[in-house]
Amino acid sequence: MKKINLFVALLMGLYSVSAGAENVQQIPVSYQKMLTMTIYNAGRALVGDVRHVDFSTGRSSLSFEDISNMVLPSSVLFKSDNVRVLEQNFNYDLLSLENLMQKSIGQTVNVEYINEASGQVTNQTAQLLAYTNGKPILKIGTKIETNYPGRVVFNQIPENLSAKPSLVFDVEIDKAVNQEVEISYLTEGISWSADYVIELDKNSLLDLNGLVTLTNNTAVSYKNARLQLVAGDLNIVRPETKVYGRRNMQTTWALEEAANVMQESIGGYHLYRLARPTDILSNQTKQVSLLSASGVNAIKTYQFEDIISYFSAQDVENLKPVMYLNFKNTKNNLLGKALPKGVVRVYEKDSKGGLVFVGEDRIEHTAVGQDIHLRLGEDFDITAHAKRLSFKELDSKTSIAEFEVSISNAKPITQLIRYSQYLPDGWKILSENAKSQKENSNKIFWDISVPAEGNVILNFKVRVDKR
Protein backbone atom coordinates (compact mmCIF):
# COMPACT_ATOMS: atom_id res chain seq x y z
CA MET A 1 0.00 0.00 0.00
CA LYS A 2 1.45 3.40 -1.04
CA LYS A 3 2.07 5.94 1.71
CA ILE A 4 1.15 9.62 1.37
CA ASN A 5 3.16 12.58 2.69
CA LEU A 6 2.54 13.96 6.17
CA PHE A 7 0.94 17.43 6.29
CA VAL A 8 -0.75 19.64 8.85
CA ALA A 9 -4.44 20.58 8.90
CA LEU A 10 -5.58 23.40 11.16
CA LEU A 11 -9.07 23.86 12.61
CA MET A 12 -8.97 27.66 12.56
CA GLY A 13 -12.28 28.16 14.36
CA LEU A 14 -10.62 27.33 17.65
CA TYR A 15 -7.78 29.83 17.16
CA SER A 16 -7.08 32.16 20.10
CA VAL A 17 -4.74 35.09 19.34
CA SER A 18 -3.08 35.56 22.70
CA ALA A 19 -2.89 33.90 26.05
CA GLY A 20 -5.50 34.90 28.57
CA ALA A 21 -7.53 36.99 26.08
CA GLU A 22 -10.68 35.26 24.96
CA ASN A 23 -12.16 38.32 23.27
CA VAL A 24 -9.37 40.01 21.36
CA GLN A 25 -10.38 42.63 18.84
CA GLN A 26 -8.36 42.39 15.66
CA ILE A 27 -7.10 45.72 14.27
CA PRO A 28 -5.82 44.65 10.82
CA VAL A 29 -3.73 46.77 8.50
CA SER A 30 -6.86 47.40 6.40
CA TYR A 31 -7.95 49.77 9.22
CA GLN A 32 -4.83 51.84 8.66
CA LYS A 33 -5.39 55.55 8.02
CA MET A 34 -1.80 56.74 7.78
CA LEU A 35 1.70 55.26 7.92
CA THR A 36 4.86 57.30 8.51
CA MET A 37 8.45 56.08 8.69
CA THR A 38 11.57 57.94 9.76
CA ILE A 39 14.60 55.88 8.78
CA TYR A 40 18.07 56.43 10.24
CA ASN A 41 21.56 55.57 8.95
CA ALA A 42 22.04 53.39 12.03
CA GLY A 43 19.73 50.64 10.72
CA ARG A 44 16.67 51.69 12.70
CA ALA A 45 13.35 53.21 11.79
CA LEU A 46 10.64 55.01 13.74
CA VAL A 47 7.24 53.79 12.54
CA GLY A 48 4.03 55.75 13.11
CA ASP A 49 0.93 53.62 12.40
CA VAL A 50 -2.52 55.25 12.66
CA ARG A 51 -5.55 52.92 12.59
CA HIS A 52 -9.28 53.33 13.24
CA VAL A 53 -10.65 51.48 16.29
CA ASP A 54 -14.19 50.94 17.63
CA PHE A 55 -13.83 51.00 21.42
CA SER A 56 -16.29 49.28 23.74
CA THR A 57 -16.96 50.61 27.24
CA GLY A 58 -14.67 49.14 29.87
CA ARG A 59 -11.74 46.83 29.40
CA SER A 60 -10.80 45.18 26.08
CA SER A 61 -7.84 43.75 24.19
CA LEU A 62 -6.67 45.13 20.85
CA SER A 63 -4.37 43.18 18.52
CA PHE A 64 -2.45 45.22 15.93
CA GLU A 65 -1.14 42.90 13.22
CA ASP A 66 1.52 43.47 10.55
CA ILE A 67 4.01 44.83 13.08
CA SER A 68 7.74 44.49 12.45
CA ASN A 69 9.21 41.27 13.83
CA MET A 70 12.29 43.31 14.86
CA VAL A 71 10.41 45.89 16.92
CA LEU A 72 12.05 47.13 20.12
CA PRO A 73 9.24 46.43 22.61
CA SER A 74 10.40 49.05 25.11
CA SER A 75 10.01 51.76 22.45
CA VAL A 76 6.29 51.15 21.76
CA LEU A 77 3.90 54.07 22.33
CA PHE A 78 0.08 53.93 22.27
CA LYS A 79 -1.78 57.22 21.70
CA SER A 80 -5.55 57.64 21.73
CA ASP A 81 -7.81 60.11 23.53
CA ASN A 82 -9.09 59.03 26.97
CA VAL A 83 -7.77 55.46 26.60
CA ARG A 84 -5.75 53.90 29.43
CA VAL A 85 -3.21 51.18 28.57
CA LEU A 86 -3.10 48.50 31.26
CA GLU A 87 -0.75 46.05 29.55
CA GLN A 88 1.00 45.59 26.22
CA ASN A 89 2.54 42.47 24.67
CA PHE A 90 4.64 41.90 21.58
CA ASN A 91 3.86 38.50 20.03
CA TYR A 92 6.55 37.49 17.55
CA ASP A 93 6.51 33.70 17.93
CA LEU A 94 5.17 33.04 14.45
CA LEU A 95 3.02 30.22 13.17
CA SER A 96 5.07 27.58 11.37
CA LEU A 97 5.14 23.81 11.14
CA GLU A 98 8.17 23.66 13.44
CA ASN A 99 6.62 25.95 16.08
CA LEU A 100 3.24 24.24 15.84
CA MET A 101 4.76 20.82 16.42
CA GLN A 102 7.14 21.88 19.17
CA LYS A 103 4.46 23.71 21.16
CA SER A 104 2.04 20.76 20.85
CA ILE A 105 4.41 18.15 22.28
CA GLY A 106 2.67 16.18 25.00
CA GLN A 107 -0.79 17.14 23.74
CA THR A 108 -3.50 15.05 22.10
CA VAL A 109 -3.93 15.40 18.34
CA ASN A 110 -5.92 13.64 15.65
CA VAL A 111 -4.29 11.60 12.88
CA GLU A 112 -5.83 10.70 9.55
CA TYR A 113 -4.84 8.10 7.00
CA ILE A 114 -6.39 7.88 3.53
CA ASN A 115 -6.29 4.55 1.70
CA GLU A 116 -5.58 5.60 -1.88
CA ALA A 117 -6.95 2.37 -3.31
CA SER A 118 -10.31 2.44 -1.53
CA GLY A 119 -10.53 6.10 -0.51
CA GLN A 120 -11.37 5.06 3.03
CA VAL A 121 -10.38 7.56 5.76
CA THR A 122 -9.12 6.25 9.10
CA ASN A 123 -9.26 8.66 12.07
CA GLN A 124 -7.44 8.06 15.32
CA THR A 125 -6.47 9.92 18.47
CA ALA A 126 -2.75 10.19 19.23
CA GLN A 127 -0.37 11.84 21.63
CA LEU A 128 2.46 13.89 20.09
CA LEU A 129 5.58 12.73 21.95
CA ALA A 130 8.28 14.56 19.99
CA TYR A 131 9.14 16.23 16.69
CA THR A 132 12.64 15.59 15.36
CA ASN A 133 14.24 15.86 11.93
CA GLY A 134 10.97 17.01 10.42
CA LYS A 135 8.99 13.96 11.63
CA PRO A 136 6.54 13.56 14.53
CA ILE A 137 6.80 10.73 17.02
CA LEU A 138 3.27 9.63 17.95
CA LYS A 139 1.74 7.37 20.59
CA ILE A 140 -1.31 5.71 19.03
CA GLY A 141 -3.00 3.43 21.52
CA THR A 142 -0.21 1.43 23.11
CA LYS A 143 2.19 1.73 20.15
CA ILE A 144 4.83 4.32 19.27
CA GLU A 145 4.68 5.43 15.62
CA THR A 146 7.83 7.06 14.19
CA ASN A 147 6.89 7.13 10.52
CA TYR A 148 3.14 7.64 10.37
CA PRO A 149 2.01 7.65 6.69
CA GLY A 150 -0.92 10.02 7.10
CA ARG A 151 -1.49 13.52 8.42
CA VAL A 152 -1.68 15.17 11.82
CA VAL A 153 -4.73 17.32 12.53
CA PHE A 154 -4.50 19.89 15.33
CA ASN A 155 -7.61 20.83 17.26
CA GLN A 156 -6.31 24.33 18.04
CA ILE A 157 -3.30 26.57 17.66
CA PRO A 158 -1.11 26.72 20.78
CA GLU A 159 -1.25 29.91 22.78
CA ASN A 160 0.93 32.88 21.72
CA LEU A 161 1.51 31.58 18.20
CA SER A 162 0.57 34.28 15.69
CA ALA A 163 0.28 34.19 11.93
CA LYS A 164 1.99 37.61 11.88
CA PRO A 165 3.95 39.66 14.43
CA SER A 166 1.44 41.63 16.51
CA LEU A 167 1.17 44.09 19.36
CA VAL A 168 -1.62 43.29 21.83
CA PHE A 169 -2.85 46.02 24.18
CA ASP A 170 -5.12 45.56 27.17
CA VAL A 171 -6.91 48.92 27.40
CA GLU A 172 -9.70 50.57 29.32
CA ILE A 173 -12.07 53.41 28.38
CA ASP A 174 -15.03 54.96 30.18
CA LYS A 175 -17.42 55.07 27.20
CA ALA A 176 -17.74 53.51 23.76
CA VAL A 177 -16.28 55.61 20.98
CA ASN A 178 -14.98 55.35 17.41
CA GLN A 179 -11.61 57.05 17.07
CA GLU A 180 -8.08 56.74 15.77
CA VAL A 181 -5.14 55.13 17.55
CA GLU A 182 -1.51 55.88 16.77
CA ILE A 183 1.00 53.12 17.44
CA SER A 184 4.63 54.20 17.19
CA TYR A 185 7.71 52.04 17.67
CA LEU A 186 11.36 51.70 16.80
CA THR A 187 12.40 48.74 14.74
CA GLU A 188 15.70 47.36 13.58
CA GLY A 189 16.14 45.72 10.18
CA ILE A 190 15.24 48.84 8.16
CA SER A 191 18.03 51.05 6.86
CA TRP A 192 19.00 53.50 4.18
CA SER A 193 22.19 54.62 2.55
CA ALA A 194 23.20 57.03 -0.16
CA ASP A 195 24.91 56.05 -3.40
CA TYR A 196 26.27 58.53 -5.92
CA VAL A 197 27.24 58.29 -9.57
CA ILE A 198 29.51 60.85 -11.24
CA GLU A 199 30.00 61.26 -15.00
CA LEU A 200 33.13 63.25 -15.74
CA ASP A 201 33.83 64.79 -19.16
CA LYS A 202 37.14 65.79 -20.73
CA ASN A 203 36.72 69.40 -19.53
CA SER A 204 36.57 68.27 -15.88
CA LEU A 205 32.87 69.08 -15.61
CA LEU A 206 30.85 66.48 -13.80
CA ASP A 207 27.24 65.39 -13.51
CA LEU A 208 26.32 64.06 -10.08
CA ASN A 209 23.32 61.84 -9.38
CA GLY A 210 22.45 60.64 -5.89
CA LEU A 211 20.28 57.63 -5.07
CA VAL A 212 18.79 56.54 -1.77
CA THR A 213 18.98 52.79 -1.18
CA LEU A 214 16.24 51.58 1.18
CA THR A 215 16.48 48.09 2.68
CA ASN A 216 13.73 46.28 4.57
CA ASN A 217 14.95 43.08 6.22
CA THR A 218 11.87 42.67 8.39
CA ALA A 219 8.99 40.24 7.81
CA VAL A 220 6.51 43.08 7.26
CA SER A 221 5.69 45.09 4.14
CA TYR A 222 5.11 48.80 4.65
CA LYS A 223 2.77 50.15 1.99
CA ASN A 224 1.92 53.73 1.08
CA ALA A 225 4.35 55.02 3.71
CA ARG A 226 5.34 58.65 4.08
CA LEU A 227 9.13 58.49 4.32
CA GLN A 228 11.66 60.67 6.09
CA LEU A 229 15.38 59.90 6.02
CA VAL A 230 17.68 61.22 8.74
CA ALA A 231 21.35 61.73 7.90
CA GLY A 232 23.57 61.85 10.97
CA ASP A 233 25.28 59.63 13.50
CA LEU A 234 22.92 58.86 16.38
CA ASN A 235 24.12 57.59 19.73
CA ILE A 236 22.39 54.22 20.20
CA VAL A 237 22.51 51.97 23.25
CA ARG A 238 22.92 48.41 22.03
CA PRO A 239 21.43 45.61 24.15
CA GLU A 240 23.69 42.74 25.14
CA THR A 241 21.48 40.19 23.42
CA LYS A 242 18.75 40.31 20.83
CA VAL A 243 16.06 37.76 20.03
CA TYR A 244 14.41 37.97 16.65
CA GLY A 245 11.64 35.93 15.09
CA ARG A 246 12.84 33.36 12.60
CA ARG A 247 12.56 34.33 8.96
CA ASN A 248 13.78 33.29 5.54
CA MET A 249 15.59 36.08 3.73
CA GLN A 250 14.98 36.61 0.05
CA THR A 251 15.96 40.01 -1.27
CA THR A 252 14.18 41.59 -4.22
CA TRP A 253 15.10 44.83 -5.94
CA ALA A 254 12.95 47.73 -7.04
CA LEU A 255 13.90 51.05 -8.63
CA GLU A 256 11.69 54.10 -8.27
CA GLU A 257 11.62 57.24 -10.40
CA ALA A 258 12.73 60.58 -8.97
CA ALA A 259 10.85 61.18 -5.73
CA ASN A 260 11.30 64.99 -5.50
CA VAL A 261 13.11 64.81 -2.16
CA MET A 262 12.82 67.82 0.14
CA GLN A 263 15.59 68.62 2.62
CA GLU A 264 15.85 70.49 5.91
CA SER A 265 18.24 70.73 8.85
CA ILE A 266 17.16 69.69 12.37
CA GLY A 267 19.69 70.13 15.15
CA GLY A 268 22.84 68.31 14.11
CA TYR A 269 21.03 66.17 11.54
CA HIS A 270 19.69 66.58 8.02
CA LEU A 271 16.21 65.40 7.18
CA TYR A 272 15.26 64.26 3.67
CA ARG A 273 11.54 63.95 3.07
CA LEU A 274 10.14 62.09 0.07
CA ALA A 275 7.36 64.12 -1.51
CA ARG A 276 5.08 61.17 -2.19
CA PRO A 277 4.32 57.91 -0.36
CA THR A 278 6.07 54.72 -1.39
CA ASP A 279 6.05 50.98 -0.62
CA ILE A 280 8.90 49.14 1.09
CA LEU A 281 8.10 45.46 0.87
CA SER A 282 9.42 42.73 3.14
CA ASN A 283 12.96 41.61 2.20
CA GLN A 284 13.19 44.28 -0.48
CA THR A 285 15.89 46.74 -1.48
CA LYS A 286 14.59 49.81 -3.29
CA GLN A 287 16.28 52.86 -4.75
CA VAL A 288 14.79 56.33 -5.16
CA SER A 289 16.32 59.49 -6.57
CA LEU A 290 17.86 61.83 -3.98
CA LEU A 291 19.46 64.67 -5.96
CA SER A 292 21.11 65.62 -9.23
CA ALA A 293 23.50 68.34 -10.37
CA SER A 294 25.06 69.09 -13.77
CA GLY A 295 28.08 71.09 -14.90
CA VAL A 296 29.89 70.97 -11.55
CA ASN A 297 33.50 72.16 -11.82
CA ALA A 298 36.04 69.60 -10.67
CA ILE A 299 39.77 69.14 -10.79
CA LYS A 300 41.93 66.03 -10.85
CA THR A 301 45.00 65.99 -8.68
CA TYR A 302 47.81 63.48 -8.42
CA GLN A 303 49.69 62.98 -5.19
CA PHE A 304 52.82 61.18 -4.02
CA GLU A 305 53.00 60.79 -0.23
CA ASP A 306 56.10 59.90 1.83
CA ILE A 307 57.70 57.77 -0.86
CA ILE A 308 61.15 58.13 0.68
CA SER A 309 62.38 58.24 4.28
CA TYR A 310 64.77 60.80 5.72
CA PHE A 311 66.78 58.06 7.40
CA SER A 312 66.76 55.53 4.54
CA ALA A 313 69.28 55.24 1.72
CA GLN A 314 66.99 52.98 -0.34
CA ASP A 315 65.95 54.33 -3.74
CA VAL A 316 62.31 54.23 -4.90
CA GLU A 317 61.50 53.59 -8.57
CA ASN A 318 58.41 53.61 -10.80
CA LEU A 319 56.04 54.67 -8.04
CA LYS A 320 52.51 55.65 -9.17
CA PRO A 321 50.63 58.60 -7.65
CA VAL A 322 47.18 58.44 -6.08
CA MET A 323 44.58 60.18 -8.25
CA TYR A 324 41.97 62.41 -6.57
CA LEU A 325 38.87 64.09 -7.91
CA ASN A 326 38.13 67.32 -6.07
CA PHE A 327 35.15 69.68 -6.18
CA LYS A 328 33.40 72.22 -3.96
CA ASN A 329 29.94 71.62 -2.53
CA THR A 330 28.70 75.18 -3.09
CA LYS A 331 25.80 76.85 -4.90
CA ASN A 332 28.28 78.80 -7.01
CA ASN A 333 29.53 75.43 -8.22
CA LEU A 334 25.94 74.38 -9.09
CA LEU A 335 25.72 71.99 -6.11
CA GLY A 336 25.36 73.37 -2.58
CA LYS A 337 23.37 70.53 -0.99
CA ALA A 338 24.00 68.57 2.21
CA LEU A 339 25.22 65.15 1.10
CA PRO A 340 24.63 62.13 3.35
CA LYS A 341 27.50 59.69 3.67
CA GLY A 342 27.74 57.00 1.02
CA VAL A 343 29.76 55.55 -1.84
CA VAL A 344 30.59 57.66 -4.89
CA ARG A 345 31.33 55.84 -8.15
CA VAL A 346 33.07 57.80 -10.89
CA TYR A 347 32.79 57.21 -14.63
CA GLU A 348 34.76 59.10 -17.27
CA LYS A 349 33.99 59.48 -20.96
CA ASP A 350 36.52 58.08 -23.42
CA SER A 351 37.39 59.52 -26.83
CA LYS A 352 34.33 57.88 -28.40
CA GLY A 353 31.90 59.10 -25.75
CA GLY A 354 31.64 55.79 -23.91
CA LEU A 355 31.81 55.58 -20.13
CA VAL A 356 34.73 53.97 -18.31
CA PHE A 357 34.64 53.21 -14.57
CA VAL A 358 37.68 54.98 -13.05
CA GLY A 359 37.22 54.43 -9.31
CA GLU A 360 35.09 54.88 -6.22
CA ASP A 361 35.39 56.28 -2.73
CA ARG A 362 33.26 56.79 0.36
CA ILE A 363 32.30 60.23 1.63
CA GLU A 364 31.16 61.15 5.13
CA HIS A 365 28.22 63.49 5.82
CA THR A 366 29.21 66.59 3.86
CA ALA A 367 27.73 69.99 4.67
CA VAL A 368 27.19 72.82 2.20
CA GLY A 369 30.45 74.69 1.62
CA GLN A 370 32.75 71.75 2.30
CA ASP A 371 35.20 70.40 -0.25
CA ILE A 372 34.95 66.83 -1.51
CA HIS A 373 38.06 64.78 -2.22
CA LEU A 374 37.54 61.40 -3.87
CA ARG A 375 40.43 58.95 -3.93
CA LEU A 376 40.07 57.05 -7.21
CA GLY A 377 43.21 54.92 -7.42
CA GLU A 378 46.70 55.03 -8.91
CA ASP A 379 47.49 56.66 -12.25
CA PHE A 380 49.42 54.57 -14.76
CA ASP A 381 50.85 57.46 -16.86
CA ILE A 382 52.67 59.31 -14.08
CA THR A 383 55.71 57.89 -12.28
CA ALA A 384 58.25 59.03 -9.71
CA HIS A 385 61.80 58.03 -8.88
CA ALA A 386 63.22 59.20 -5.56
CA LYS A 387 66.60 58.83 -3.89
CA ARG A 388 68.65 60.28 -1.07
CA LEU A 389 71.72 61.88 -2.63
CA SER A 390 73.65 62.38 0.60
CA PHE A 391 73.40 62.07 4.36
CA LYS A 392 75.80 63.56 6.94
CA GLU A 393 75.70 63.48 10.74
CA LEU A 394 77.09 66.70 12.18
CA ASP A 395 76.83 65.39 15.75
CA SER A 396 74.69 62.91 17.72
CA LYS A 397 71.56 65.05 17.32
CA THR A 398 72.07 66.95 14.09
CA SER A 399 72.13 65.68 10.51
CA ILE A 400 71.77 66.95 6.94
CA ALA A 401 70.26 65.03 4.01
CA GLU A 402 69.78 65.92 0.34
CA PHE A 403 67.09 64.35 -1.86
CA GLU A 404 66.17 64.14 -5.52
CA VAL A 405 62.69 63.29 -6.83
CA SER A 406 62.16 62.82 -10.58
CA ILE A 407 58.52 62.97 -11.78
CA SER A 408 57.56 61.88 -15.32
CA ASN A 409 54.28 62.60 -17.12
CA ALA A 410 53.39 60.42 -20.13
CA LYS A 411 50.03 62.16 -20.67
CA PRO A 412 49.51 64.47 -23.69
CA ILE A 413 48.63 67.39 -21.38
CA THR A 414 50.38 69.18 -18.52
CA GLN A 415 49.54 67.81 -15.07
CA LEU A 416 49.75 69.36 -11.61
CA ILE A 417 51.43 66.90 -9.23
CA ARG A 418 51.60 67.20 -5.45
CA TYR A 419 54.58 65.65 -3.72
CA SER A 420 54.32 65.33 0.10
CA GLN A 421 57.24 64.54 2.39
CA TYR A 422 57.24 63.58 6.08
CA LEU A 423 60.19 65.01 8.08
CA PRO A 424 61.35 64.30 11.66
CA ASP A 425 60.97 66.80 14.49
CA GLY A 426 63.43 69.71 14.33
CA TRP A 427 63.55 69.90 10.51
CA LYS A 428 64.51 72.92 8.44
CA ILE A 429 64.73 73.31 4.66
CA LEU A 430 68.23 74.53 3.72
CA SER A 431 67.65 74.65 -0.03
CA GLU A 432 65.06 73.67 -2.65
CA ASN A 433 64.53 74.28 -6.36
CA ALA A 434 60.75 74.72 -5.92
CA LYS A 435 58.78 76.47 -3.20
CA SER A 436 57.43 74.12 -0.53
CA GLN A 437 54.38 74.62 1.71
CA LYS A 438 53.80 73.42 5.24
CA GLU A 439 50.93 70.96 5.70
CA ASN A 440 51.48 70.30 9.41
CA SER A 441 54.34 70.24 11.92
CA ASN A 442 55.98 67.21 10.28
CA LYS A 443 54.86 67.38 6.66
CA ILE A 444 55.59 69.68 3.73
CA PHE A 445 54.49 69.49 0.10
CA TRP A 446 55.27 70.85 -3.32
CA ASP A 447 52.76 71.46 -6.13
CA ILE A 448 54.71 70.78 -9.32
CA SER A 449 53.52 71.38 -12.87
CA VAL A 450 54.86 68.60 -15.09
CA PRO A 451 54.63 69.26 -18.85
CA ALA A 452 53.02 66.86 -21.32
CA GLU A 453 55.26 63.89 -22.01
CA GLY A 454 57.87 65.61 -19.88
CA ASN A 455 59.88 65.31 -16.70
CA VAL A 456 60.60 67.54 -13.69
CA ILE A 457 63.28 67.03 -11.05
CA LEU A 458 62.74 68.25 -7.49
CA ASN A 459 65.81 68.77 -5.27
CA PHE A 460 65.75 69.73 -1.60
CA LYS A 461 68.17 69.69 1.33
CA VAL A 462 67.01 69.28 4.93
CA ARG A 463 68.68 69.71 8.30
CA VAL A 464 67.27 67.92 11.35
CA ASP A 465 68.26 69.14 14.80
CA LYS A 466 66.70 67.10 17.67
CA ARG A 467 67.96 69.37 20.44
Side-chain angles (χ1 to χ4, degrees):
M1 183 177 297
K2 185 178 180 181
K3 295 182 179 181
I4 62 174
N5 291 329
L6 175 72
F7 66 97
V8 179
L10 305 178
L11 302 182
M12 299 304 294
L14 298 177
Y15 176 34
S16 174
V17 176
S18 65
E22 295 180 359
N23 297 309
V24 177
Q25 182 181 352
Q26 305 297 318
I27 313 298
V29 74
S30 59
Y31 289 13
Q32 195 173 77
K33 299 299 180 182
M34 184 173 66
L35 179 64
T36 62
M37 299 181 69
T38 302
I39 306 177
Y40 302 87
N41 290 124
R44 285 186 178 182
L46 174 62
V47 178
D49 190 338
V50 178
R51 303 187 190 185
H52 185 82
V53 177
D54 293 335
F55 288 94
S56 301
T57 302
R59 184 173 176 176
S60 60
S61 293
L62 309 175
S63 177
F64 287 75
E65 296 181 343
D66 290 283
I67 302 296
S68 168
N69 59 312
M70 296 189 185
V71 67
L72 303 177
S74 60
S75 71
V76 175
L77 291 174
F78 180 105
K79 293 181 181 180
S80 191
D81 293 341
N82 302 315
V83 179
R84 297 180 294 276
V85 178
L86 306 177
E87 184 179 304
Q88 64 187 42
N89 298 282
F90 174 46
N91 296 334
Y92 58 90
D93 208 357
L94 300 184
L95 181 63
S96 67
L97 176 60
E98 176 74 21
N99 285 344
L100 191 59
M101 288 288 189
Q102 291 294 341
K103 289 184 178 295
S104 297
I105 292 174
Q107 297 181 8
T108 299
V109 296
N110 292 328
V111 291
E112 287 186 355
Y113 173 71
I114 301 176
N115 188 314
E116 290 188 352
S118 64
Q120 182 180 359
V121 179
T122 302
N123 293 294
Q124 293 176 289
T125 299
Q127 183 182 13
L128 180 60
L129 300 180
Y131 183 73
T132 58
N133 299 323
K135 293 183 179 182
I137 299 176
L138 301 165
K139 182 179 181 181
I140 304 176
T142 59
K143 298 181 179 180
I144 306 300
E145 176 64 61
T146 60
N147 193 24
Y148 187 74
R151 63 184 184 181
V152 177
V153 179
F154 292 88
N155 297 319
Q156 64 181 18
I157 294 179
E159 293 178 344
N160 290 333
L161 274 186
S162 303
K164 299 177 181 178
S166 59
L167 284 168
V168 180
F169 299 89
D170 287 344
V171 299
E172 190 174 50
I173 192 169
D174 293 334
K175 63 178 181 179
V177 66
N178 300 330
Q179 64 185 28
E180 292 181 346
V181 172
E182 180 182 1
I183 302 296
S184 62
Y185 58 85
L186 288 170
T187 178
E188 296 189 320
I190 300 176
S191 61
W192 78 280
S193 62
D195 293 277
Y196 303 91
V197 174
I198 284 178
E199 292 185 23
L200 184 66
D201 67 15
K202 62 181 179 180
N203 297 316
S204 292
L205 295 177
L206 63 84
D207 294 339
L208 173 66
N209 290 286
L211 291 173
V212 171
T213 301
L214 304 168
T215 303
N216 178 10
N217 288 330
T218 73
V220 175
S221 293
Y222 294 94
K223 295 185 178 181
N224 204 35
R226 301 179 183 181
L227 288 184
Q228 296 183 140
L229 312 174
V230 176
D233 298 318
L234 277 73
N235 184 47
I236 291 178
V237 178
R238 298 288 182 183
E240 294 182 1
T241 60
K242 302 185 185 79
V243 180
Y244 298 145
R246 287 181 289 270
R247 66 192 188 279
N248 293 322
M249 300 299 296
Q250 183 176 359
T251 300
T252 59
W253 286 82
L255 178 63
E256 291 241 332
E257 298 296 331
N260 191 21
V261 177
M262 295 172 287
Q263 176 191 335
E264 63 178 287
S265 178
I266 298 179
Y269 308 107
H270 279 274
L271 182 68
Y272 300 86
R273 184 180 294 111
L274 275 66
R276 59 180 176 80
T278 189
D279 298 341
I280 312 178
L281 304 183
S282 173
N283 298 328
Q284 182 185 63
T285 296
K286 167 177 287 189
Q287 290 184 308
V288 297
S289 177
L290 174 65
L291 57 86
S292 62
S294 299
V296 177
N297 284 298
I299 183 172
K300 279 185 182 178
T301 59
Y302 304 87
Q303 186 165 340
F304 293 98
E305 291 195 28
D306 305 327
I307 64 176
I308 196 167
S309 171
Y310 179 86
F311 294 105
S312 175
Q314 184 176 0
D315 294 350
V316 177
E317 297 184 352
N318 294 318
L319 193 70
K320 306 294 188 297
V322 176
M323 178 172 60
Y324 291 88
L325 183 65
N326 312 280
F327 57 95
K328 294 182 178 295
N329 183 19
T330 62
K331 291 183 178 180
N332 289 338
N333 199 26
L334 304 180
L335 190 53
K337 300 176 181 178
L339 304 178
K341 65 181 178 181
V343 175
V344 185
R345 295 175 175 86
V346 181
Y347 298 83
E348 190 169 350
K349 292 182 179 179
D350 60 21
S351 59
K352 296 183 179 180
L355 291 178
V356 178
F357 177 63
V358 295
E360 65 183 14
D361 198 5
R362 184 180 298 275
I363 62 170
E364 295 302 316
H365 299 301
T366 305
V368 175
Q370 291 185 329
D371 293 343
I372 297 175
H373 306 281
L374 302 176
R375 181 181 177 127
L376 301 183
E378 295 183 349
D379 189 276
F380 180 79
D381 294 321
I382 300 172
T383 57
H385 305 262
K387 58 184 177 180
R388 191 178 69 179
L389 297 177
S390 63
F391 182 82
K392 183 178 181 181
E393 290 186 339
L394 302 181
D395 53 44
S396 61
K397 294 185 177 181
T398 308
S399 59
I400 295 176
E402 186 175 3
F403 300 90
E404 178 183 279
V405 181
S406 176
I407 302 175
S408 300
N409 173 26
K411 295 181 181 292
I413 57 174
T414 298
Q415 296 291 346
L416 184 66
I417 312 297
R418 173 167 291 189
Y419 176 77
S420 298
Q421 180 64 54
Y422 175 85
L423 296 172
D425 291 340
W427 63 269
K428 182 180 180 180
I429 297 294
L430 299 180
S431 64
E432 55 186 347
N433 64 346
K435 182 61 178 177
S436 62
Q437 298 181 61
K438 186 177 180 180
E439 183 173 331
N440 57 47
S441 61
N442 288 102
K443 182 170 284 191
I444 59 175
F445 67 89
W446 293 264
D447 286 333
I448 303 169
S449 181
V450 183
E453 300 178 352
N455 175 266
V456 169
I457 295 178
L458 169 68
N459 290 107
F460 59 96
K461 182 182 290 187
V462 183
R463 182 180 66 192
V464 172
D465 188 344
K466 295 184 178 181
R467 284 176 290 193

